[in-house]
Amino acid sequence: TNTQMDLGAVTLTADSTLKSGSTALNVASVTDGAGPFDLSLQDAAATGTVTFSGDVTIDDLITFAGAYAVTLNGSSNSFDSPVTFLNTGALTLGNLAADTFLFGGGLTAADPSGVTLNGQILTSGAAVTLGDAGTAITLAGTTSIIDTTNAGGTPAGATITFDGTVN
């Protein structure tokens, strides 16, 4: 830890953890290949920014309540299990209007200091909760869509909750 990590395309073969402590953690892309594997990021003492520049396709992304930021900039991202962002630094989902994030089991991001959305956030009939009283939510770019029906695949959909100020 405390050494910057710059990783290319990563294929998980087991549940894995990436920690860089107080330095940056940069990943080109990550997939769980043939298995449903989880990826844990940082720990409660971490302050180094985590950036995924490409696609993330895994079972679960696990974060801890540390003061680090998480940025996911891939164009096609998928998480099978519910994802809860516990990091207290900023959270950025997408850098282009065409970026897509499927959180099959739902998305909760109440702890980050700010949440920026750029692209499409989808779930398969699971809830989305963004922000808390101290969290600003920024809808960036020309299009930010939140759809809990996965483009009509789950007609009933689910609750979308904004607990922070939407900019």
Side-chain angles (χ1 to χ4, degrees):
T1 61
N2 294 327
T3 301
Q4 179 169 327
M5 294 193 321
D6 296 302
L7 305 174
V10 174
T11 300
L12 303 179
T13 57
D15 292 344
S16 303
T17 301
L18 294 175
K19 293 182 189 178
S20 66
S22 62
T23 60
L25 171 56
N26 302 301
V27 182
S29 63
V30 64
T31 182
D32 57 7
F37 300 119
D38 302 344
L39 178 61
S40 298
L41 300 178
Q42 301 289 35
D43 60 24
T47 57
T49 298
V50 179
T51 302
F52 293 91
S53 57
D55 297 346
V56 177
T57 305
I58 58 177
D59 182 55
D60 194 6
L61 184 65
I62 300 165
T63 62
F64 297 91
Y68 58 94
V70 175
T71 298
L72 293 113
N73 285 333
S75 62
S76 180
N77 306 276
S78 179
F79 308 89
D80 298 330
S81 295
V83 175
T84 300
F85 287 95
L86 298 174
N87 58 296
T88 59
L91 170 63
T92 301
L93 298 176
N95 62 336
L96 299 171
D99 292 348
T100 301
F101 297 86
L102 173 59
F103 293 95
L107 168 64
T108 301
D111 295 311
S113 58
V115 177
T116 300
L117 306 176
N118 194 353
Q120 298 180 39
I121 308 298
L122 307 168
T123 72
S124 298
V128 172
T129 300
L130 299 174
D132 63 11
T135 303
I137 302 162
T138 302
L139 304 178
T142 58
T143 307
S144 295
I145 297 170
I146 301 174
D147 175 4
T148 61
T149 70
N150 192 12
T154 309
T159 304
I160 299 171
T161 304
F162 293 98
D163 285 331
T165 300
V166 178
N167 299 320

